[in-house]
Amino acid sequence: MDHKMTNENACKIHMNGGDGPESYTKSSKYQKQLMNYSKQITIELIEQQLDVKSSCFDPSKPFRMADFGCSMGPNTFMAVQYITEAVQQKYCKKWQEESGMIPEFHIFFNDLAENDFNVLFRNMPTNCPRHFTAGVPGSFHGRLFPKGSLHLAHCSCALMYLSRLPKEIVDKNSPAWNKGRIHYSTPGAAKEVKEAYSGQFRQDVLTFLDARGDELVPGGLMVIIIVGIPDGVLPSESSISMNIAILGSCLQDMVNMARIPEEDFDSFNLPIYHTSPTEFEALIKENGLFDIIKSERLPNPFTKETAADVERGILSTRAVFQALIEDHFGKDIIEDFFKLYSKKLAANPMLFHEKYRQEGSYFVFLKRKIAD
């Protein structure tokens, strides 16, 4: 079986399935805390920006919301709960004033087909009688819904994943060939590698915004949480990039031990890009379909150095990256690989110190323009 990731096909990025300790379900506290930080401001902005008097938000018809890149829970359920409660409160206010109605909710959970939808459906709350749900497999880098069919879109901690690897970084004849490294942030990577990643991210974000622009009704809302790097900070200065460098060194060790072929290592790159707020906002403006209502940096969920950080770091890394490594190198190396990773992570406690946590997570609230 060929495990190599090819550039002809989209990257099949999915989190660890199941509900064990190494699953995304059990090891996504970082992402959960980002939603907690953004909850109140999301509720306030829905109150301010949702125009329930518009014909596009007719309460006699379902209010349709989609969570793009939902993974398998439980975070997606938390987001759906506070968003739908905020929407309902806005309609209730109108009902008190004008004897209106409260809509039913049609909620779509989207992720790639490789996502563990069985776990998602098994853990889905059942105490929401006005919620009607559906799973929608497919890439959010393209259209998934009919034109003008959604009222609100949500996407948390998913837009940094690229639809595909930039072809230049695995081309031996390209100045962006990233031999011996697995990411643009790895020390020694050429500037052309960063430029190739940035170009792919630009293409992906513009495609994502075009698709959501088609799918959302005029005046529709979109909530985005994205993990990035602050303006003026080098990618290599963040703990995220330091962690990626450790992952790369473990793979290099396995090459040296003849556990994996060197050519497989050279063709492996993480399809992840951490944008800056300035770069991301510029892409939204370039797209032109949305008004930026709010953009702000969220607090960092983990800022204290504790003994638990190492174990938590191991589990969260496995939850996010294990499937990518398995797809490229096969399952046989996984346990030995993460034993190496655990030793190196434990030997680098500075990774968990607050001063090295230079990455930034950003909350962005968009509103679909009434006219293109």
Side-chain angles (χ1 to χ4, degrees):
M1 179 178 179
D2 186 3
H3 297 286
K4 296 180 183 179
M5 187 182 300
T6 64
N7 287 292
E8 289 75 25
N9 300 310
C11 294
K12 298 179 179 179
I13 303 167
H14 59 97
M15 306 296 100
N16 254 12
D19 50 15
E22 295 161 1
S23 68
Y24 186 82
T25 299
K26 293 293 176 62
S27 298
S28 54
K29 292 183 175 62
Y30 184 97
Q31 295 87 341
K32 178 180 180 180
Q33 191 57 46
L34 291 177
M35 286 191 185
N36 281 329
Y37 289 144
S38 63
K39 175 180 177 180
Q40 190 56 41
I41 186 63
T42 299
I43 293 171
E44 292 172 1
L45 288 172
I46 288 174
E47 163 63 26
Q48 295 169 14
Q49 298 296 326
L50 184 63
D51 183 9
V52 295
K53 296 182 180 180
S54 165
S55 60
C56 293
F57 297 90
D58 183 350
S60 68
K61 299 176 181 178
F63 185 99
R64 296 187 177 90
M65 167 189 171
D67 187 19
F68 294 93
C70 66
S71 193
M72 61 209 72
N75 298 336
T76 186
F77 307 135
M78 179 178 69
V80 165
Q81 180 179 356
Y82 67 71
I83 288 173
T84 55
E85 286 177 355
V87 170
Q88 186 164 318
Q89 287 174 7
K90 185 64 182 282
Y91 276 98
C92 281
K93 184 177 179 181
K94 180 187 177 185
W95 179 78
Q96 291 172 349
E97 293 175 354
E98 302 179 16
S99 299
M101 296 181 292
I102 309 301
E104 294 180 318
F105 291 93
H106 199 177
I107 299 159
F108 302 96
F109 295 93
N110 158 255
D111 214 311
L112 295 177
E114 291 74 17
N115 184 57
D116 195 341
F117 281 98
N118 287 332
V119 168
L120 176 78
F121 296 140
R122 188 163 63 239
N123 294 326
M124 192 172 292
T126 58
N127 58 343
C128 306
R130 300 185 66 81
H131 289 188
F132 298 86
T133 58
V136 181
S139 171
F140 57 53
H141 292 106
R143 280 278 300 278
L144 293 166
F145 299 96
K147 187 176 180 65
S149 62
L150 295 180
H151 300 96
L152 190 146
H154 180 268
C155 183
S156 178
C157 300
L159 265 181
M160 68 270 201
Y161 296 107
L162 302 178
S163 66
R164 63 183 67 248
L165 284 172
K167 62 181 182 298
E168 301 94 330
I169 64 177
V170 291
D171 180 356
K172 295 181 180 180
N173 298 315
S174 168
W177 185 36
N178 204 26
K179 176 180 171 58
R181 301 173 186 86
I182 66 170
H183 198 238
Y184 68 87
S185 66
T186 307
K191 65 180 179 62
E192 288 87 356
V193 178
K194 168 67 162 57
E195 291 168 356
Y197 268 89
S198 179
Q200 184 63 53
F201 179 75
R202 176 183 178 276
Q203 177 182 326
D204 285 349
V205 169
L206 292 177
T207 301
F208 173 88
L209 293 172
D210 278 342
R212 305 297 82 79
D214 282 343
E215 295 164 349
L216 283 163
V217 300
L221 306 178
M222 180 150 62
V223 179
I224 296 173
I225 299 173
I226 188 165
V227 180
I229 302 292
D231 292 311
V233 173
L234 295 175
S236 59
E237 295 174 343
S238 73
S239 60
I240 288 178
S241 297
M242 293 168 69
N243 188 41
I244 289 174
I246 292 174
L247 289 170
S249 73
C250 292
L251 288 171
Q252 181 64 68
D253 288 347
M254 300 201 84
V255 171
N256 297 340
M257 293 185 291
R259 292 295 309 279
I260 59 176
E262 184 175 8
E263 58 268 26
D264 284 4
F265 175 48
D266 290 339
S267 64
F268 179 75
N269 286 265
L270 294 176
I272 299 171
Y273 182 79
H274 295 107
T275 188
S276 69
T278 296
E279 180 181 33
F280 191 53
E281 289 179 24
L283 290 174
I284 296 169
K285 292 175 182 177
E286 179 182 345
N287 171 262
L289 297 177
F290 295 89
D291 290 318
I292 301 174
I293 304 302
K294 185 81 172 180
S295 178
E296 68 177 28
R297 185 175 180 177
L298 297 171
N300 196 311
F302 302 143
T303 58
K304 294 182 179 179
E305 184 178 5
T306 66
D309 274 331
V310 173
E311 182 62 25
R312 181 169 55 196
I314 294 167
L315 291 174
S316 62
T317 297
R318 288 195 72 148
V320 174
F321 292 124
Q322 180 170 324
L324 276 171
I325 295 169
E326 282 185 357
D327 288 347
H328 193 84
F329 299 103
K331 294 183 178 181
D332 293 344
I333 72 159
I334 289 300
E335 294 308 318
D336 289 340
F337 172 81
F338 278 106
K339 285 179 183 177
L340 276 173
Y341 172 74
S342 299
K343 291 178 182 179
K344 293 196 176 192
L345 197 67
N348 287 274
M350 67 177 185
L351 192 66
F352 302 102
H353 196 281
E354 185 174 355
K355 73 176 183 177
Y356 294 103
R357 294 192 175 277
Q358 296 298 316
E359 62 272 7
S361 299
Y362 297 90
F363 170 87
V364 182
F365 193 96
L366 306 179
K367 188 169 186 175
R368 179 65 168 91
K369 293 180 177 179
I370 303 299
D372 295 351

